[in-house]
């Protein structure tokens, strides 16, 4: 049976936000909060969603006038809601000039980002812009036709500076610690390489508030699209399926205070986001990565399948108690024990099919803030790190590219080829660990040289090779 295509039912709001990265997370999160804000306050906060890579989002959204369905998967079954805050979708590689025009328009007051960790073109271990990154090299040579987020931001800011237009606020919404500071750092470094005066102007004028974002949103599958058609009677390839929970904590520091009332949807505007960020990155994303690598190796397809195994649920609880919470400050208004308890319940939601393989992607970009930060702090305080070291070892097994049954793993990571080669060239398991620890885009050399860390990771890696992930998890929780 064919279903009619979903279409917009209200006029598109004038654009006030350019958003880079129009994927599932943006549609389940930023665009929903903005729809809530405009429903309460009105306002010209329509979103121009920009893909820096593929035309997929445009091909899905534009025939629907930017409207799409966000389906919340709660205990009472799926609750679909049509979201209409996206006014326009652009594909940067097809027309970079149109993107720059939108970013330069005075009506654009916020440029927000969900470009994933690798979109910042930084060295994950140090947070510095990689000037040797191919997109950065390109964008420094061709400022008018950028490819990278830093390239677009700096060119658009430069045009605004020359036109005498106030700068937009740059709002990073990626899972990185101090994401505002990190975004500012790569933008300033890029601007410095172009023109020190421009860098000074940005340093003085442009705001980069930090945010903590949270809503579990798996990639949409073709089954999701069919299920939605059966549920609502229309075809919507742009739909997203997400958990009911959402939390957005935003540093309240915007140019001219120009921002939507995201508090309408429960967003929290605060003075300092850092404790919330650390809590979420380490408690949620840290155990997500633990479940992704160990769960994948143990044969679990999804997060809910893995935590249905009591040993994997206990793995999360022990990691939180012994190795993660001791490194997490108390954010105002949060009860950390309740927070981790609620996390486990969120992971157990059987309606959310969040693949371990999806979360395992881009581990080289994720490990430093999720796992290695807490490792370093524990070691500095003399606390052992057997669980976090097991996660690092599982990541090493995973990027080796062969699973426990001898089958290939489809490793997706900007460093995948390099990591695979490093692992393959080493003669034996201990040598593989040593060689991977020497990859300085992932491991800070001081941490990589720490004898307790080296020893614990090596032991965990040997255990994984000999006994497998399931037995290693059982051994850890015993
Ligand atoms: C996940 C996150 O894919 C991943 O790495 O850990 O996308 C996670 O689902 C979100 O941060 C939840 O807010």
């Amino acid at each position: 049976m064919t279903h009619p295509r979903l279409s917009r039912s209200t006029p598109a709001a004038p654009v006030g936000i350019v958003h880079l990265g129009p994927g599932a997370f943006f549609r389940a999160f930023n665009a929903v909060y903005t729809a809530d804000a405009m429903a309460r306050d009105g306002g010209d906060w329509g979103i121009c969603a920009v893909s820096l890579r593929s035309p997929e989002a445009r091909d899905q959204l534009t025939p629907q006038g930017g409207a799409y369905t966000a389906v919340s998967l709660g205990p009472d079954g799926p609750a679909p809601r049509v979201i209409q805050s996206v006014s326009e979708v652009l594909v940067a590689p097809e027309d970079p000039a149109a993107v720059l025009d939108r970013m330069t328009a005075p009506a654009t007051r916020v440029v927000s980002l969900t470009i994933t960790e690798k979109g910042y073109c930084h060295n994950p271990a140090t947070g510095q812009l990689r000037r040797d990154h191919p997109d950065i090299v390109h964008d420094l040579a061709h400022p008018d036709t950028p490819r990278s987020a830093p390239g677009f931001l700096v060119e658009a800011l430069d045009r605004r500076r020359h036109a005498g237009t106030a700068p937009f606020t740059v709002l990073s919404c990626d899972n990185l610690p101090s994401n505002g500071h990190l975004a500012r750092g790569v933008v300033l470094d890029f601007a410095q390489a172009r023109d020190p005066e421009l860098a000074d102007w940005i340093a003085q004028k442009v705001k980069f508030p930090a945010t903590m974002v949270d809503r579990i949103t798996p990639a949409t599958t073709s089954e999701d699209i069919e299920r939605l058609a059966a549920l609502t009677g229309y075809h919507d390839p742009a739909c997203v399926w997400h958990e009911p929970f959402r939390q957005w904590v935003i540093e309240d520091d915007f140019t001219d205070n120009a921002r939507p009332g995201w508090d309408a949807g429960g967003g929290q505007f605060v003075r300092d986001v850092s404790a919330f960020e650390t809590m979420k990155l380490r408690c949620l994303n840290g155990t997500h990565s633990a479940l992704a690598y160990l769960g994948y190796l143990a044969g679990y397809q999804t997060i809910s399948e893995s935590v249905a195994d009591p040993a994997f649920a206990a793995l999360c609880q022990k990691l939180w108690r012994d190795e993660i919470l001791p490194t997490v400050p108390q954010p105002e208004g949060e009860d950390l024990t309740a927070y981790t308890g609620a996390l486990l319940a969120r992971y157990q939601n059987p309606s959310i099919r969040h693949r371990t393989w999806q979360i395992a992607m881009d581990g080289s970009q994720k490990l430093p803030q999720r796992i290695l930060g807490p490792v370093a702090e524990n070691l500095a305080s003399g606390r052992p790190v057997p669980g976090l070291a097991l996660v690092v070892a599982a990541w090493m097994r995973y990027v080796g590219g062969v699973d426990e049954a001898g089958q290939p793993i489809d490793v997706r990571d900007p460093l995948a080829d390099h990591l695979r080669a490093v692992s393959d060239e080493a003669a034996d398991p201990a040598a593989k660990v040593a060689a991977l620890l020497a990859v300085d885009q992932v491991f800070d050399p001081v941490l990589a040289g720490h004898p307790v860390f080296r020893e614990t990771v090596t032991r965990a890696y040997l255990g994984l090779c000999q006994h497998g992930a399931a037995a290693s998890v059982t051994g850890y929780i015993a």
Side-chain angles (χ1 to χ4, degrees):
M1 180 174 163
T2 54
H3 295 91
R5 191 88 183 242
L6 172 71
S7 60
R8 173 180 282 285
S9 64
T10 59
V15 170
I17 299 174
V18 171
H19 182 87
L20 309 185
F25 181 76
F26 156 75
R27 288 179 231 174
F29 195 81
N30 303 67
V32 175
Y33 276 97
T34 301
D36 290 340
M38 287 198 286
R40 187 189 66 185
D41 304 336
D44 296 348
W45 291 112
I47 302 171
C48 168
V50 176
S51 167
L52 294 178
R53 303 262 173 267
S54 86
E56 197 185 355
R58 189 268 322 275
D59 296 347
Q60 293 169 342
L61 284 161
T62 301
Q64 307 178 175
Y68 65 91
T69 318
V71 188
S72 183
L73 285 162
D76 304 328
R81 171 179 172 196
V82 175
I83 303 296
Q84 314 213 46
S85 52
V86 176
S87 298
E88 175 184 44
V89 188
L90 298 175
V91 184
E94 288 177 7
D95 195 353
V99 176
L100 287 168
D101 283 349
R102 265 296 179 217
M103 294 174 80
T104 311
T108 297
R109 284 144 295 157
V110 174
V111 175
S112 50
L113 316 171
T114 52
I115 51 178
T116 80
E117 296 84 350
K118 60 179 179 276
Y120 292 79
C121 307
H122 66 305
N123 176 330
T126 64
Q128 303 293 309
L129 180 74
R130 280 183 51 206
R131 295 223 187 157
D132 63 343
H133 188 294
D135 288 349
I136 297 302
V137 172
H138 172 275
D139 291 1
L140 285 172
H142 308 280
D144 285 347
T145 53
R147 291 180 181 158
S148 71
F152 273 105
L153 289 166
V154 171
E155 177 61 16
L157 287 166
D158 194 33
R159 292 184 186 190
R160 291 177 86 107
R161 176 173 73 120
H162 285 298
T165 310
F168 46 70
T169 297
V170 180
L171 190 68
S172 167
C173 301
D174 285 292
N175 287 314
L176 286 155
S178 309
N179 51 11
H181 183 76
L182 185 110
R184 182 173 191 269
V186 297
V187 163
L188 284 181
D189 203 353
F190 185 92
Q192 189 69 35
R194 272 187 53 175
D195 168 2
E197 265 181 39
L198 169 61
D200 279 351
W201 183 83
I202 294 175
Q204 280 167 31
K205 301 264 188 228
V206 184
K207 312 261 194 195
F208 295 83
T211 63
M212 180 272 248
V213 297
D214 189 9
R215 171 167 265 179
I216 292 173
T217 311
T220 304
T221 63
S222 47
E223 292 84 68
D224 293 331
I225 298 166
E226 282 164 29
R227 215 172 135 207
L228 183 72
L231 194 67
T232 62
Y234 53 77
H235 175 60
D236 176 6
C239 69
V240 281
W241 295 65
H242 56 74
E243 64 171 343
F245 181 91
R246 60 172 157 161
Q247 187 176 15
W248 196 5
V249 189
I250 308 158
E251 185 183 344
D252 201 2
D253 185 23
F254 287 72
T255 304
D256 299 331
N257 210 25
R259 52 152 173 87
W262 284 314
D263 53 308
Q268 298 158 256
F269 288 105
V270 302
R271 214 177 43 79
D272 186 358
V273 180
S274 56
F276 292 94
E277 280 182 334
T278 307
M279 169 184 79
K280 192 266 174 169
L281 266 172
R282 295 186 176 184
C283 294
L284 191 158
N285 298 110
T287 51
H288 246 187
S289 291
L291 294 170
Y293 299 114
L294 288 160
Y296 184 96
L297 293 172
Y300 292 126
Q301 293 262 326
T302 66
I303 292 295
S304 60
E305 252 179 43
S306 59
V307 291
D309 176 340
F312 279 74
L315 163 77
C316 294
Q317 278 161 327
K318 187 163 175 175
L319 277 170
W320 284 322
R321 193 192 62 210
D322 295 351
E323 300 180 44
I324 296 178
L325 288 179
T327 75
V328 172
Q330 168 80 52
E332 209 181 308
E334 294 282 348
D335 169 343
L336 290 171
T337 313
Y339 181 78
T340 54
L343 278 184
L344 194 56
R346 290 167 63 193
Y347 295 173
Q348 284 160 338
N349 182 344
S351 325
I352 300 279
R353 286 193 51 78
H354 203 185
R355 292 178 66 193
T356 47
W357 175 82
Q358 188 190 343
I359 299 166
M361 274 188 219
D362 294 346
S364 67
Q365 317 291 303
K366 294 174 176 173
L367 232 51
Q369 58 275 10
R370 296 181 179 200
I371 304 294
L372 304 177
V375 165
E377 287 173 32
N378 281 319
L379 291 173
S381 301
R383 283 186 298 267
V385 288
L388 295 172
L390 177 60
V391 180
V392 174
W395 170 77
M396 289 178 167
R397 276 287 274 169
Y398 186 90
V399 299
V402 181
D403 74 9
E404 292 181 0
Q407 296 303 308
I409 303 174
D410 179 7
V411 178
R412 302 283 174 94
D413 192 296
L415 298 186
D417 292 344
H418 178 61
L419 296 168
R420 178 70 191 258
V422 166
S423 172
D424 283 352
E425 276 161 26
D428 58 57
K432 286 186 196 298
V433 172
L436 286 165
L437 282 174
V439 176
D440 65 4
Q441 279 199 50
V442 180
F443 297 99
D444 173 82
V446 176
L447 176 63
H450 194 293
V452 175
F453 183 55
R454 294 182 77 84
E455 214 259 318
T456 320
V457 176
T458 307
R459 200 160 1 97
Y461 188 87
L462 295 174
L464 284 172
C465 296
Q466 280 163 16
H467 310 296
S472 295
V473 169
T474 314
Y476 169 64
I477 61 169

